[in-house]
Coordinates of all heavy atoms in Angstrom, one line a residue:
L25 N -8.9 -45.3 5.9 CA -9.0 -45.3 4.4 C -10.5 -45.5 4.0 O -10.9 -44.9 3.0 CB -8.2 -46.4 3.8 CG -6.6 -46.2 3.8 CD1 -5.9 -47.4 3.3 CD2 -6.3 -45.0 3.1
A29 N -12.4 -42.3 1.7 CA -13.0 -42.4 0.4 C -14.3 -41.6 0.4 O -14.6 -40.9 -0.6 CB -13.3 -43.9 0.0
L50 N -41.7 -8.9 10.5 CA -41.0 -8.0 11.4 C -41.4 -6.6 11.1 O -41.4 -5.7 12.0 CB -39.5 -8.2 11.2 CG -38.9 -9.6 11.5 CD1 -37.5 -9.7 11.2 CD2 -39.2 -10.0 12.9
V58 N -39.0 -19.6 10.7 CA -38.3 -20.7 11.4 C -39.1 -22.0 11.2 O -40.3 -22.0 11.4 CB -38.2 -20.4 12.9 CG1 -37.5 -21.6 13.6 CG2 -37.4 -19.1 13.2
G79 N -33.1 -39.4 2.5 CA -34.0 -38.4 3.1 C -33.2 -37.3 3.8 O -32.1 -37.5 4.3
C82 N -34.0 -30.5 7.5 CA -33.2 -29.4 7.8 C -33.9 -28.4 8.7 O -34.6 -27.5 8.2 CB -32.7 -28.7 6.5 SG -31.9 -29.7 5.3
N91 N -38.2 -5.7 0.9 CA -37.9 -4.3 0.7 C -36.5 -4.0 0.2 O -36.2 -3.2 -0.7 CB -38.1 -3.5 2.0 CG -39.5 -3.7 2.6 OD1 -40.5 -3.7 1.8 ND2 -39.6 -3.9 3.9
K94 N -33.2 -8.8 -0.3 CA -32.1 -9.7 0.2 C -32.7 -10.8 1.1 O -33.7 -10.6 1.8 CB -31.1 -8.9 1.1 CG -30.3 -7.8 0.4 CD -29.4 -7.1 1.3 CE -28.7 -6.0 0.7 NZ -27.8 -5.3 1.6
Y100 N -29.1 -26.6 9.9 CA -28.4 -27.9 9.9 C -29.3 -28.8 9.0 O -30.5 -28.6 8.9 CB -28.3 -28.5 11.3 CG -27.2 -27.8 12.1 CD1 -27.5 -26.7 12.9 CD2 -25.9 -28.3 12.1 CE1 -26.6 -26.1 13.6 CE2 -25.0 -27.7 12.9 CZ -25.3 -26.5 13.6 OH -24.3 -25.9 14.3
C101 N -28.7 -29.9 8.5 CA -29.5 -30.9 7.8 C -29.0 -32.3 8.4 O -27.8 -32.4 8.6 CB -29.3 -30.9 6.3 SG -29.9 -29.4 5.5
Q104 N -30.3 -39.2 5.9 CA -30.3 -40.6 6.2 C -30.6 -41.5 5.0 O -31.6 -41.2 4.3 CB -31.3 -40.9 7.3 CG -31.3 -42.4 7.8 CD -32.1 -42.6 9.0 OE1 -32.0 -41.9 10.0 NE2 -33.0 -43.6 8.9
G122 N -38.3 -14.3 -3.0 CA -39.5 -14.4 -3.9 C -39.4 -15.7 -4.7 O -38.4 -16.4 -4.7
G145 N -16.0 -32.2 7.9 CA -15.1 -31.2 7.4 C -15.0 -30.9 6.0 O -14.4 -30.0 5.5
N170 N -23.0 -28.8 -5.2 CA -21.7 -28.9 -5.8 C -21.7 -28.9 -7.4 O -21.1 -29.7 -8.0 CB -21.0 -30.2 -5.3 CG -20.7 -30.1 -3.8 OD1 -20.0 -29.1 -3.4 ND2 -21.2 -31.0 -3.0

Side-chain angles (χ1 to χ4, degrees):
L25 289 175
L50 302 174
V58 177
C82 305
N91 302 319
K94 296 180 184 178
Y100 288 87
C101 294
Q104 182 170 312
N170 293 308

